[in-house]
Amino acid sequence: MKFGKVTPEILGELTAAVGKDVIFTEEIHRMAYSRDWSPREDKDIHLPDVVARPRTKEQVAKIIEIANKHRIPVTPFAGGTGMGGGAVPLYGGIILETKGMNKILEVDVDNMTATVQTGITIWDLNQALKQYGLYFPQEPESKKASTVGAAIACNNDSTFGIRHGRMVDHLTNAVIVTGEGKIVRLGRRKALCSNSGYQLNWLLVGSEGTLGVIVEATVKLIPVQKTRMVDMIVFPSLRDAMHAIRDIIHAGLALESAHINCRQRLKFYTHSYKEKYGHEPEIPDWAEALLGISFASAEEKNKVVKFSRDYALKICQRNHGQVVKEVEITDGWWASKYTVNFTPFKQKWPDSQREKKFGAVDCGIPIGRIEDAYKRYLEIAKKHGQQILGMCVYHERPNRLSPSISFAVFVDDKDPENVQGFYKYVREMSEMAIAMEGTSATYIGDSEFKTPWIGEVEHQEAYEYMFKIKKAFDPNGIINPGKKFPIEMFGYER
Ligand SMILES: Cc1cc2nc3c(=O)[nH]c(=O)nc-3n(C[C@H](O)[C@H](O)[C@H](O)COP(=O)(O)OP(=O)(O)OC[C@H]3O[C@@H](n4cnc5c(N)ncnc54)[C@H](O)[C@@H]3O)c2cc1C
């Protein structure tokens, strides 16, 4: 069995159902949705048959109903900044572009929630929330382009994960359109805790657009943060930096962010220093880890922030840390994480990746094994001919050492061998993480690259149950095919 194609008759059906202004067929439109931010060969693009840009959940339902009838793939596409090929329409069909669904449906100030159409970007949502003094803290660096729906689908890492957590800490309910075109609400209205039934809203978190199109979501908010202090500290080892975070948390201080970078990543934060002084800053030879931290408060001129920061720096010193004095470096790091005010073309990913692409493996490694994992990363990247960019350890659950690690390399997308080497690197790093009792994916997901082997390598007997869940939401396997489950599991041929 093969997937269906959008024939002129089916195109007629689609436009009759949702209107001509929702369906785009010109090649120039289709090209724009033929790849995402994942490292892939220049020529490795996948053209959809058509692009649909619905504005309502009812339109989404009509499109999917027609697609399901004809077994046509439907791939949800938001900002296209995904790094694993998640939004790439591998088998053609319909790109369901979500950014036309960008309305805020309700801001409930008393209950501190926002209900939105999920095509709104995280940036736009936060701009609109300012007037209420509220803020959605689930913020990836890509917030200007990436949407609330994709943040749910990808289970994003946030700059503020160690204080405010991840999507599971925010999402109280969501509305999806299933693979049969049914509109279904999952979750608990505005309650964040429940043990009634199964927590199906959380099943969507990290689902990578394989269970349906998420069209609406209700998320918890926090007050706008008005006071903040940011610091960077160098340590002689990754272990010392981890211990410093542990001790800060258990001293009772509320870190807002805590990211450990390996030595290689330092150069991404030194541009403004170099511009000012004309040379690279001097970093002690012994420095192997660079910890960036912040403390924040919803009050103006808050003394707790200053106290917490001073106390935390003492704890860092106790763990052999030395505060980075050059404010330009700390500012550079914070700008790259949070403000998005990079100096044009001089941001942390040099020259906007014109020469080479940023590629990463996103592993979760148990806290005691990070040093070992780092050594293995250097070896595995070298073995597969990858240029090392550096490791960054994020912590993504409130008040926990909870590593989500980006092991990054530069990939030359004009060199097919180098791109193939990247895919081998992804697999070997994933196997390493699992052998260390961790996980292969924390924020990029299974996506396109891990799907062919993820069942065997990561899930074993649980994979069969996952597939049953997939079929319950999408019986014909038309929603984002080739992601999480190879299409052959549904009986399709390539
Ligand atoms: C410069 C840069 C910085 C980044 N920083 C971070 C970071 O700090 N933290 C982090 O976690 N990631 C980061 N990423 C990765 C990426 O931005 C995130 O994964 C983000 O969530 C992708 O959002 P998007 O809107 O671009 O989604 P897309 O790439 O368009 O889609 C991503 C996946 O979500 C699915 N999807 C999208 N919308 C829906 C929907 N409504 N319903 C169902 N499925 C849907 C797609 O099918 C696809 O599988 C970064 C990427 C770049 C390029």
Side-chain angles (χ1 to χ4, degrees):
M1 174 174 60
K2 291 223 176 217
F3 282 116
K5 287 237 146 254
V6 180
T7 60
E9 292 71 38
I10 297 172
L11 185 61
E13 241 184 286
L14 284 168
T15 48
V18 294
K20 275 193 179 139
D21 58 336
V22 172
I23 307 290
F24 301 87
T25 53
E26 296 84 352
E27 191 164 0
I28 193 153
H29 287 298
R30 295 187 289 130
M31 276 301 282
Y33 300 94
S34 61
R35 60 178 297 165
D36 63 359
W37 206 273
S38 54
R40 55 204 311 123
E41 282 177 44
D42 265 358
K43 299 183 194 85
D44 183 14
I45 55 166
H46 297 266
L47 274 188
D49 301 342
V50 298
V51 175
R53 197 170 200 266
R55 289 181 296 273
T56 66
K57 58 184 178 227
E58 289 77 18
Q59 288 177 333
V60 176
K62 282 182 188 160
I63 294 164
I64 296 186
E65 217 181 294
I66 294 168
N68 188 42
K69 189 165 76 180
H70 300 289
R71 303 289 187 270
I72 293 169
V74 177
T75 305
F77 196 109
T81 65
M83 292 166 58
V88 178
L90 295 180
Y91 302 98
I94 301 170
I95 273 286
L96 203 132
E97 207 264 47
T98 61
K99 279 187 154 174
M101 296 186 284
N102 58 3
K103 292 200 175 62
I104 296 177
L105 303 173
E106 183 197 59
V107 177
D108 180 341
V109 175
D110 275 352
N111 291 309
M112 297 173 73
T113 61
T115 300
V116 297
Q117 285 188 309
T118 54
I120 190 166
T121 64
I122 292 169
W123 176 268
D124 286 347
L125 174 59
N126 273 328
Q127 294 305 307
L129 288 174
K130 272 185 190 164
Q131 60 181 302
Y132 305 100
L134 292 170
Y135 176 67
F136 177 53
Q138 218 293 331
E139 265 211 355
E141 289 170 43
S142 51
K143 55 186 164 270
K144 272 204 165 172
S146 60
T147 66
V148 171
I152 299 169
C154 298
N155 196 10
N156 275 169
D157 274 356
S158 152
T159 302
F160 308 120
I162 201 161
R163 173 89 181 266
H164 302 298
R166 277 187 152 198
M167 207 33 109
V168 288
D169 301 297
H170 303 293
L171 182 69
T172 74
N173 77 74
V175 176
I176 65 163
V177 179
T178 69
E180 292 174 295
K182 291 186 183 142
I183 299 173
V184 185
R185 183 176 296 278
L186 307 176
R188 297 77 47 105
R189 293 152 291 271
K190 290 177 183 172
L192 197 49
C193 302
S194 167
N195 73 345
S196 177
Y198 299 121
Q199 313 308 312
L200 293 183
N201 52 329
W202 287 348
L203 188 58
L204 298 176
V205 177
S207 62
E208 298 182 77
T210 58
L211 298 177
V213 180
I214 307 159
V215 285
E216 284 174 21
T218 301
V219 290
K220 284 277 179 191
L221 309 171
I222 64 164
V224 167
Q225 303 293 286
K226 295 187 184 138
T227 315
R228 177 173 287 124
M229 294 186 87
V230 181
D231 285 281
M232 291 198 99
I233 308 103
V234 283
F235 289 87
S237 72
L238 293 163
R239 181 182 295 266
D240 284 327
M242 288 289 283
H243 286 176
I245 299 176
R246 178 198 62 193
D247 293 351
I248 292 169
I249 293 170
H250 294 291
L253 304 175
L255 275 166
E256 188 201 31
S257 59
H259 306 161
I260 304 172
N261 297 277
C262 72
R263 195 184 166 90
Q264 277 95 334
R265 284 185 87 119
L266 182 66
K267 56 181 170 293
F268 299 117
Y269 311 126
T270 56
H271 297 297
S272 38
Y273 181 94
K274 257 194 304 189
E275 287 205 347
K276 193 162 164 195
Y277 300 104
H279 60 87
E280 289 278 358
E282 276 176 32
I283 298 298
D285 284 344
W286 50 261
E288 287 298 331
L290 181 73
L291 171 64
I293 56 172
S294 70
F295 288 94
S297 159
E299 294 180 9
E300 310 261 11
K301 297 194 185 126
N302 181 284
K303 285 186 189 148
V304 178
V305 170
K306 171 90 172 69
F307 172 82
S308 304
R309 180 257 189 174
D310 292 347
Y311 203 104
L313 292 185
K314 274 191 208 138
I315 291 176
C316 288
Q317 278 156 359
R318 217 164 61 206
N319 283 285
H320 316 115
Q322 180 178 304
V323 178
V324 174
K325 296 262 167 24
E326 295 84 353
V327 71
E328 297 81 9
I329 302 179
T330 307
D331 286 353
W333 171 68
W334 193 246
S336 79
K337 285 284 139 205
Y338 175 61
T339 66
V340 254
N341 287 330
F342 305 116
T343 317
F345 308 122
K346 288 200 166 31
Q347 68 266 44
K348 63 175 186 169
W349 295 352
D351 271 270
S352 286
Q353 309 187 56
R354 272 186 242 132
E355 293 301 320
K356 289 186 177 178
K357 270 277 197 197
F358 176 102
V361 190
D362 53 323
C363 299
I365 304 279
I367 53 175
R369 301 203 170 120
I370 288 183
E371 297 261 2
D372 289 347
Y374 180 60
K375 282 188 203 126
R376 295 283 295 126
Y377 153 59
L378 300 180
E379 288 163 13
I380 295 171
K382 197 168 159 212
K383 175 175 160 191
H384 296 294
Q386 302 298 300
Q387 182 186 338
I388 287 160
L389 194 155
M391 175 182 89
C392 182
V393 184
Y394 301 89
H395 293 275
E396 290 300 319
R397 298 312 309 282
N399 293 312
R400 296 273 183 288
L401 283 176
S402 44
S404 164
I405 310 182
S406 174
F407 293 100
V409 293
F410 278 122
V411 186
D412 184 352
D413 52 5
K414 285 164 216 75
D415 174 1
E417 210 178 307
N418 194 254
V419 176
Q420 290 307 317
F422 173 70
Y423 300 147
K424 288 183 191 147
Y425 160 76
V426 170
R427 177 155 186 174
E428 198 168 337
M429 286 294 291
S430 302
E431 286 171 345
M432 178 224 28
I434 291 162
M436 288 186 173
E437 298 181 281
T439 176
S440 63
T442 54
Y443 72 95
I444 297 175
D446 302 321
S447 294
E448 176 190 353
F449 306 141
K450 295 177 188 161
T451 292
W453 40 263
I454 200 66
E456 173 200 337
V457 169
E458 169 106 29
H459 303 301
Q460 293 88 39
E461 64 278 8
Y463 200 47
E464 182 191 328
Y465 290 90
M466 289 181 193
F467 189 54
K468 285 181 184 165
I469 291 170
K470 162 78 174 165
K471 281 202 288 193
F473 283 90
D474 177 25
N476 295 312
I478 60 150
I479 304 290
N480 210 356
K483 319 294 164 58
K484 291 199 187 288
F485 304 98
I487 57 168
E488 289 78 8
M489 289 177 75
F490 277 99
Y492 291 108
E493 295 161 30
R494 273 158 212 272

Short mmCIF file of all heavy atoms in Angstrom, two decimals, residues 101-134:
data_model
loop_
_atom_site.label_atom_id
_atom_site.label_comp_id
_atom_site.label_asym_id
_atom_site.label_seq_id
_atom_site.Cartn_x
_atom_site.Cartn_y
_atom_site.Cartn_z
N MET A 101 -3.17 30.02 12.87
CA MET A 101 -3.99 29.90 14.10
C MET A 101 -3.19 30.53 15.23
O MET A 101 -2.49 29.84 15.97
CB MET A 101 -4.24 28.41 14.40
CG MET A 101 -5.05 27.72 13.32
SD MET A 101 -5.47 26.02 13.77
CE MET A 101 -3.92 25.20 13.51
N ASN A 102 -3.29 31.85 15.33
CA ASN A 102 -2.39 32.55 16.26
C ASN A 102 -3.12 33.47 17.23
O ASN A 102 -2.56 34.46 17.69
CB ASN A 102 -1.34 33.33 15.45
CG ASN A 102 -2.00 34.32 14.52
OD1 ASN A 102 -3.22 34.46 14.52
ND2 ASN A 102 -1.21 35.03 13.73
N LYS A 103 -4.37 33.13 17.53
CA LYS A 103 -5.14 34.04 18.41
C LYS A 103 -5.01 33.64 19.88
O LYS A 103 -4.92 32.46 20.21
CB LYS A 103 -6.62 33.97 18.04
CG LYS A 103 -6.94 34.55 16.69
CD LYS A 103 -8.43 34.90 16.62
CE LYS A 103 -8.75 35.59 15.33
NZ LYS A 103 -8.48 34.76 14.15
N ILE A 104 -5.06 34.66 20.72
CA ILE A 104 -5.19 34.40 22.16
C ILE A 104 -6.69 34.35 22.44
O ILE A 104 -7.41 35.32 22.18
CB ILE A 104 -4.51 35.51 22.98
CG1 ILE A 104 -3.00 35.49 22.68
CG2 ILE A 104 -4.77 35.32 24.47
CD1 ILE A 104 -2.21 36.58 23.36
N LEU A 105 -7.16 33.23 22.95
CA LEU A 105 -8.60 33.06 23.13
C LEU A 105 -9.07 33.58 24.49
O LEU A 105 -10.19 34.04 24.63
CB LEU A 105 -8.98 31.58 22.97
CG LEU A 105 -8.55 30.96 21.62
CD1 LEU A 105 -8.80 29.46 21.61
CD2 LEU A 105 -9.29 31.63 20.46
N GLU A 106 -8.18 33.47 25.49
CA GLU A 106 -8.55 33.98 26.82
C GLU A 106 -7.29 34.18 27.65
O GLU A 106 -6.37 33.37 27.58
CB GLU A 106 -9.44 32.94 27.54
CG GLU A 106 -9.92 33.43 28.90
CD GLU A 106 -10.43 32.30 29.80
OE1 GLU A 106 -9.66 31.38 30.10
OE2 GLU A 106 -11.59 32.38 30.21
N VAL A 107 -7.28 35.27 28.41
CA VAL A 107 -6.28 35.40 29.48
C VAL A 107 -7.08 35.47 30.77
O VAL A 107 -7.91 36.37 30.95
CB VAL A 107 -5.40 36.66 29.32
CG1 VAL A 107 -4.44 36.78 30.49
CG2 VAL A 107 -4.64 36.63 28.00
N ASP A 108 -6.89 34.49 31.64
CA ASP A 108 -7.62 34.43 32.91
C ASP A 108 -6.65 34.90 34.00
O ASP A 108 -5.81 34.12 34.47
CB ASP A 108 -8.09 32.99 33.13
CG ASP A 108 -8.87 32.82 34.42
OD1 ASP A 108 -8.75 33.70 35.32
OD2 ASP A 108 -9.58 31.81 34.55
N VAL A 109 -6.77 36.17 34.34
CA VAL A 109 -5.77 36.79 35.24
C VAL A 109 -5.84 36.15 36.63
O VAL A 109 -4.81 35.82 37.23
CB VAL A 109 -5.97 38.32 35.29
CG1 VAL A 109 -5.03 38.96 36.29
CG2 VAL A 109 -5.74 38.92 33.90
N ASP A 110 -7.05 35.92 37.14
CA ASP A 110 -7.19 35.34 38.49
C ASP A 110 -6.55 33.96 38.57
O ASP A 110 -5.89 33.62 39.54
CB ASP A 110 -8.67 35.21 38.85
CG ASP A 110 -9.20 36.51 39.42
OD1 ASP A 110 -8.37 37.41 39.65
OD2 ASP A 110 -10.43 36.61 39.61
N ASN A 111 -6.81 33.17 37.55
CA ASN A 111 -6.28 31.79 37.58
C ASN A 111 -4.92 31.66 36.92
O ASN A 111 -4.36 30.56 36.85
CB ASN A 111 -7.27 30.84 36.90
CG ASN A 111 -8.53 30.69 37.75
OD1 ASN A 111 -8.43 30.42 38.94
ND2 ASN A 111 -9.68 30.93 37.16
N MET A 112 -4.40 32.79 36.42
CA MET A 112 -3.07 32.83 35.80
C MET A 112 -2.92 31.77 34.70
O MET A 112 -1.99 30.95 34.71
CB MET A 112 -1.98 32.68 36.86
CG MET A 112 -2.00 33.84 37.85
SD MET A 112 -0.88 33.60 39.21
CE MET A 112 0.68 33.87 38.43
N THR A 113 -3.87 31.82 33.76
CA THR A 113 -3.77 30.93 32.60
C THR A 113 -3.99 31.73 31.32
O THR A 113 -4.65 32.77 31.33
CB THR A 113 -4.84 29.82 32.62
OG1 THR A 113 -6.13 30.41 32.59
CG2 THR A 113 -4.71 28.90 33.83
N ALA A 114 -3.47 31.19 30.23
CA ALA A 114 -3.80 31.71 28.89
C ALA A 114 -4.30 30.54 28.06
O ALA A 114 -3.71 29.45 28.11
CB ALA A 114 -2.58 32.34 28.23
N THR A 115 -5.36 30.78 27.30
CA THR A 115 -5.82 29.78 26.34
C THR A 115 -5.59 30.35 24.96
O THR A 115 -6.03 31.47 24.66
CB THR A 115 -7.31 29.46 26.58
OG1 THR A 115 -7.43 28.97 27.92
CG2 THR A 115 -7.82 28.40 25.60
N VAL A 116 -4.86 29.58 24.15
CA VAL A 116 -4.42 30.14 22.85
C VAL A 116 -4.67 29.14 21.73
O VAL A 116 -4.76 27.94 21.96
CB VAL A 116 -2.90 30.45 22.86
CG1 VAL A 116 -2.56 31.52 23.88
CG2 VAL A 116 -2.06 29.20 23.11
N GLN A 117 -4.76 29.70 20.51
CA GLN A 117 -4.57 28.85 19.34
C GLN A 117 -3.06 28.59 19.27
O GLN A 117 -2.25 29.51 19.48
CB GLN A 117 -5.02 29.59 18.09
CG GLN A 117 -6.53 29.68 17.93
CD GLN A 117 -6.87 30.27 16.56
OE1 GLN A 117 -6.35 31.32 16.19
NE2 GLN A 117 -7.76 29.62 15.84
N THR A 118 -2.70 27.36 18.95
CA THR A 118 -1.30 26.97 19.20
C THR A 118 -0.30 27.44 18.16
O THR A 118 0.90 27.21 18.31
CB THR A 118 -1.20 25.44 19.28
OG1 THR A 118 -1.78 24.93 18.09
CG2 THR A 118 -1.89 24.90 20.50
N GLY A 119 -0.77 28.13 17.11
CA GLY A 119 0.17 28.65 16.12
C GLY A 119 0.81 29.96 16.55
O GLY A 119 1.67 30.51 15.84
N ILE A 120 0.42 30.48 17.70
CA ILE A 120 1.03 31.73 18.18
C ILE A 120 2.47 31.45 18.60
O ILE A 120 2.76 30.40 19.17
CB ILE A 120 0.20 32.34 19.34
CG1 ILE A 120 0.69 33.76 19.66
CG2 ILE A 120 0.26 31.46 20.60
CD1 ILE A 120 -0.25 34.55 20.55
N THR A 121 3.38 32.38 18.29
CA THR A 121 4.76 32.15 18.75
C THR A 121 4.84 32.49 20.24
O THR A 121 4.03 33.27 20.77
CB THR A 121 5.78 33.04 17.99
OG1 THR A 121 5.49 34.41 18.29
CG2 THR A 121 5.74 32.81 16.50
N ILE A 122 5.83 31.91 20.87
CA ILE A 122 6.01 32.13 22.32
C ILE A 122 6.33 33.61 22.55
O ILE A 122 5.88 34.22 23.51
CB ILE A 122 7.09 31.18 22.85
CG1 ILE A 122 6.54 29.76 22.77
CG2 ILE A 122 7.51 31.54 24.27
CD1 ILE A 122 7.53 28.67 23.00
N TRP A 123 7.06 34.19 21.64
CA TRP A 123 7.41 35.61 21.73
C TRP A 123 6.13 36.47 21.69
O TRP A 123 5.92 37.33 22.55
CB TRP A 123 8.33 35.96 20.57
CG TRP A 123 8.69 37.41 20.51
CD1 TRP A 123 8.03 38.39 19.81
CD2 TRP A 123 9.77 38.07 21.18
NE1 TRP A 123 8.63 39.60 20.00
CE2 TRP A 123 9.70 39.44 20.84
CE3 TRP A 123 10.78 37.63 22.04
CZ2 TRP A 123 10.62 40.37 21.31
CZ3 TRP A 123 11.68 38.56 22.50
CH2 TRP A 123 11.61 39.90 22.16
N ASP A 124 5.28 36.24 20.69
CA ASP A 124 4.06 37.05 20.55
C ASP A 124 3.16 36.89 21.76
O ASP A 124 2.52 37.84 22.21
CB ASP A 124 3.29 36.67 19.27
CG ASP A 124 3.99 37.20 18.02
OD1 ASP A 124 4.89 38.05 18.17
OD2 ASP A 124 3.64 36.76 16.91
N LEU A 125 3.08 35.66 22.26
CA LEU A 125 2.24 35.44 23.45
C LEU A 125 2.77 36.30 24.60
O LEU A 125 2.00 37.01 25.27
CB LEU A 125 2.25 33.94 23.83
CG LEU A 125 1.54 33.59 25.14
CD1 LEU A 125 0.07 34.02 25.12
CD2 LEU A 125 1.64 32.09 25.44
N ASN A 126 4.07 36.27 24.82
CA ASN A 126 4.61 37.02 25.95
C ASN A 126 4.51 38.53 25.77
O ASN A 126 4.32 39.27 26.74
CB ASN A 126 6.04 36.58 26.25
CG ASN A 126 6.04 35.38 27.18
OD1 ASN A 126 5.15 35.26 28.03
ND2 ASN A 126 6.99 34.49 27.02
N GLN A 127 4.60 38.99 24.53
CA GLN A 127 4.39 40.43 24.28
C GLN A 127 2.97 40.81 24.69
O GLN A 127 2.74 41.82 25.35
CB GLN A 127 4.60 40.77 22.80
CG GLN A 127 6.03 40.59 22.30
CD GLN A 127 7.04 41.38 23.12
OE1 GLN A 127 6.89 42.57 23.31
NE2 GLN A 127 8.04 40.69 23.63
N ALA A 128 2.00 39.97 24.30
CA ALA A 128 0.60 40.28 24.59
C ALA A 128 0.28 40.15 26.08
O ALA A 128 -0.63 40.84 26.58
CB ALA A 128 -0.30 39.36 23.78
N LEU A 129 1.01 39.30 26.77
CA LEU A 129 0.71 39.08 28.20
C LEU A 129 1.23 40.21 29.09
O LEU A 129 0.80 40.35 30.23
CB LEU A 129 1.31 37.75 28.67
CG LEU A 129 0.63 36.48 28.15
CD1 LEU A 129 1.42 35.24 28.56
CD2 LEU A 129 -0.82 36.37 28.68
N LYS A 130 2.15 41.02 28.54
CA LYS A 130 2.77 42.09 29.36
C LYS A 130 1.72 42.98 30.00
O LYS A 130 1.85 43.37 31.16
CB LYS A 130 3.68 42.94 28.48
CG LYS A 130 5.08 42.40 28.39
CD LYS A 130 5.96 43.35 27.60
CE LYS A 130 7.30 42.70 27.30
NZ LYS A 130 8.02 43.40 26.25
N GLN A 131 0.66 43.32 29.24
CA GLN A 131 -0.35 44.25 29.77
C GLN A 131 -1.06 43.69 31.02
O GLN A 131 -1.65 44.42 31.78
CB GLN A 131 -1.39 44.57 28.69
CG GLN A 131 -2.12 43.34 28.18
CD GLN A 131 -3.12 43.68 27.08
OE1 GLN A 131 -4.01 44.47 27.27
NE2 GLN A 131 -2.94 43.04 25.93
N TYR A 132 -1.00 42.36 31.19
CA TYR A 132 -1.62 41.76 32.38
C TYR A 132 -0.59 41.52 33.49
O TYR A 132 -0.91 40.96 34.53
CB TYR A 132 -2.26 40.41 32.02
CG TYR A 132 -3.25 40.50 30.88
CD1 TYR A 132 -2.89 40.14 29.59
CD2 TYR A 132 -4.56 40.95 31.11
CE1 TYR A 132 -3.79 40.23 28.54
CE2 TYR A 132 -5.46 41.05 30.06
CZ TYR A 132 -5.07 40.69 28.78
OH TYR A 132 -5.96 40.78 27.75
N GLY A 133 0.67 41.84 33.22
CA GLY A 133 1.73 41.57 34.20
C GLY A 133 2.04 40.08 34.29
O GLY A 133 2.60 39.61 35.28
N LEU A 134 1.70 39.34 33.23
CA LEU A 134 1.89 37.89 33.26
C LEU A 134 2.89 37.46 32.19
O LEU A 134 3.17 38.18 31.24
CB LEU A 134 0.55 37.18 33.05
CG LEU A 134 -0.45 37.34 34.20
CD1 LEU A 134 -1.82 36.81 33.81
CD2 LEU A 134 0.04 36.67 35.48
#
